[in-house]
Amino acid sequence: MDDSHLKNGILVGFISGVLWGWVSLLSNYITGIGPIEQGFFRELLQYSIGGAIFGMIIGCLFLLVGSRMPFKKILPNAVVLSVFFWLALRLGGQILSHENYARYVTDSAETIQGFVLAVVLGCILGAFWKTENNENG
């Protein structure tokens, strides 16, 4: 893996993540599952930054393991990777909750929304990856 591939993975992940952050904020606004607490523009900034970080992590992970993923096409592999990363974070939260039950409360609506949003991030990343790399996979 050379520097151009790494930069490409980070850039595609960043763009995908920011868009995903906006989708997440819109989803929270529509469903009310994660209410806007600090004003729309401040939340937009926070979701953009968080999404960018999450997207860059997934983009870099995709660079590392994308060729060893189970599917031949980019989009399903990106979705699988995004969902598995989300599941790892979710499991980590559950483990931490055993220390202090009030710290991490399991909410079914948040879990379902988080899963759907992980799929959405994978779709966005996969679509941009295909476009950026001019692949038809």
Side-chain angles (χ1 to χ4, degrees):
M1 171 175 36
D2 60 13
D3 286 344
S4 66
H5 284 105
L6 181 61
K7 289 176 186 176
N8 185 43
I10 291 172
L11 179 64
V12 171
F14 178 84
I15 293 169
S16 300
V18 169
L19 289 175
W20 175 80
W22 297 347
V23 170
S24 298
L25 180 61
L26 181 64
S27 172
N28 283 340
Y29 180 74
I30 291 171
T31 63
I33 292 173
I36 295 177
E37 298 172 346
Q38 300 175 359
F40 179 75
F41 291 109
R42 185 167 179 166
E43 295 278 337
L44 183 65
L45 179 64
Q46 292 172 346
Y47 275 74
S48 297
I49 292 169
I53 293 168
F54 195 54
M56 287 189 296
I57 290 170
I58 300 298
C60 289
L61 284 174
F62 195 73
L63 274 176
L64 293 174
V65 299
S67 63
R68 292 174 279 216
M69 295 295 288
F71 302 109
K72 292 181 180 179
K73 297 193 180 236
I74 292 172
L75 191 64
N77 285 331
V79 170
V80 166
L81 187 61
S82 179
V83 167
F84 272 110
F85 187 70
W86 173 81
L87 284 171
L89 292 176
R90 187 76 177 154
L91 180 62
Q94 285 297 114
I95 291 170
L96 289 173
S97 73
H98 290 290
E99 295 287 325
N100 181 357
Y101 293 109
R103 181 176 186 185
Y104 189 87
V105 179
T106 303
D107 182 358
S108 297
E110 286 178 358
T111 300
I112 293 167
Q113 182 178 7
F115 175 78
V116 170
L117 288 171
V119 171
V120 169
L121 176 58
C123 290
I124 294 171
L125 181 74
F128 276 111
W129 204 277
K130 287 167 63 170
T131 302
E132 183 68 27
N133 293 304
N134 292 326
E135 293 185 21
N136 295 324

